[in-house]
Amino acid sequence: MNEAIPVTRTVDHGTAKLMPDVDRERAWLLTVDGAPQSYVDLDDPAHLEFEYARRLGHVLDTVAGPGKPLDAVHLGGGALTLPRYLAATRPGSRQEVVEADRALLELVAEHLPLPAGSGVALHAADARAWLETAPDDCADVLVADVFGGSRVPAHLTSLGYAREAERVLRPDGVYLANLADAAPFGFLRSQLATFAAVFEELVLIAEPAVLRGRRFGNAVLVAAHRPLDTAALARRAAADAFPARVEHGTALRDLTGSARPVDDRDAVPSPEPPGGAFGIG
């Protein structure tokens, strides 16, 4: 086709739409039930359109030397934005992508295929169930970007889940998660407490307006057993079109406050976003 046209398909967990970007020739926006899920530019896979994706990209850029291949696990597939990014910026990386919606994976493979030799393996499976079968110490990075509709599923928020993530990561591995919340940050604080019980180092990246409780928004949680390059992350996050702050140490402990780690029996999804928070016009 000379002109890209939108694609709509019923998938396992809703109605998916692929919409071409009028400003970029081979770029596409994926939505599921109206909520934006992914943005992909097939000609420029290193382009990250969504702010939270750029912040995840900043972390991936700083966890190892420039261009060094990584073994990565992605929980949540969407249109495979970050796997494409890692394949482009760190050629030779080996990546496993776990997406519960098989029909969505098939839609993306049909209309937005990965380049040959990308090193990306796709798995249609529940994220936690797949993680529990993965071998120990098999990943350098684990990226969690899983939303059921617009909410992080409860079974991916607990202490048991955090321990599985830590088991799969190598000793110097790094965990990254896309979360969403608003003041008074009951969900976000519980996640900080949960991952602080498992990992020695935590970092949070979010826009100042979100951290000040002025609006609902995304926050990127980073966890590891080694110091993270917070100075490099802060420089990159501050240079974005919508600058973000990088919080760690005392600031994160103050934000966590009296929150306790979450057991599986007490786990709940992230809060429902207010109307229009993540929608498109």
Side-chain angles (χ1 to χ4, degrees):
M1 292 186 299
N2 293 325
E3 181 179 354
I5 59 173
V7 177
T8 300
R9 184 175 298 177
T10 299
V11 292
D12 296 340
H13 298 134
T15 299
K17 292 184 180 181
L18 285 172
M19 293 177 286
D21 186 337
V22 296
D23 296 320
R24 300 176 74 97
E25 185 176 353
R26 295 215 309 147
W28 296 81
L29 172 69
L30 168 68
T31 68
V32 178
D33 290 340
Q37 297 290 325
S38 302
Y39 180 100
V40 168
D41 187 333
L42 297 178
D43 291 330
D44 183 9
H47 174 75
L48 299 176
E49 181 75 10
F50 294 169
E51 293 296 330
Y52 85 84
R54 281 204 286 276
R55 291 163 195 154
L56 290 167
H58 295 331
V59 180
L60 293 173
D61 289 344
T62 59
V63 297
K68 180 182 178 181
L70 297 174
D71 292 339
V73 171
H74 301 263
L75 303 181
L80 312 176
T81 302
L82 285 170
R84 297 174 201 267
Y85 178 82
L86 206 56
T89 59
R90 296 183 179 275
S93 294
R94 295 182 300 178
Q95 304 187 71
E96 309 285 344
V97 178
V98 186
E99 168 58 57
D101 195 320
R102 181 182 297 274
L104 180 60
L105 280 180
E106 292 171 352
L107 172 67
V108 170
E110 178 183 347
H111 291 276
L112 309 176
L114 289 164
S118 63
V120 179
L122 305 179
H123 308 274
D126 173 79
R128 180 151 174 190
W130 187 93
L131 195 65
E132 289 171 349
T133 66
D136 295 355
D137 302 331
C138 68
D140 299 309
V141 292
L142 194 163
V143 184
D145 187 12
V146 183
F147 282 77
S150 297
R151 306 177 74 182
V152 179
H155 68 306
L156 302 182
T157 68
S158 69
L159 196 56
Y161 163 73
R163 287 172 175 154
E164 286 296 324
E166 191 235 12
R167 178 187 62 78
V168 167
L169 285 166
R170 295 182 175 128
D172 62 347
V174 178
Y175 175 85
L176 305 78
N178 177 31
L179 306 174
D181 201 3
F185 301 118
F187 174 75
L188 186 57
R189 292 170 65 239
S190 75
Q191 291 306 284
L192 291 170
T194 297
F195 281 84
V198 176
F199 291 92
E200 297 173 41
E201 300 283 341
L202 295 185
V203 168
L204 191 71
I205 310 172
E207 286 186 39
V210 173
L211 293 172
R212 291 173 186 150
R214 294 179 180 171
R215 66 175 184 83
F216 189 97
N218 295 93
V220 169
L221 172 65
V222 190
H225 284 304
R226 60 176 171 95
L228 298 157
D229 193 345
T230 53
L233 286 174
R235 287 193 300 270
R236 290 167 182 260
D240 280 338
F242 294 92
R245 282 190 356 221
V246 175
E247 301 285 11
H248 58 98
T250 301
L252 276 195
R253 289 190 289 273
D254 290 345
L255 178 58
T256 305
S258 60
R260 307 285 296 173
V262 178
D263 290 327
D264 276 311
R265 64 179 179 273
D266 301 320
V268 296
S270 63
E272 188 77 40
F278 294 142
I280 57 175

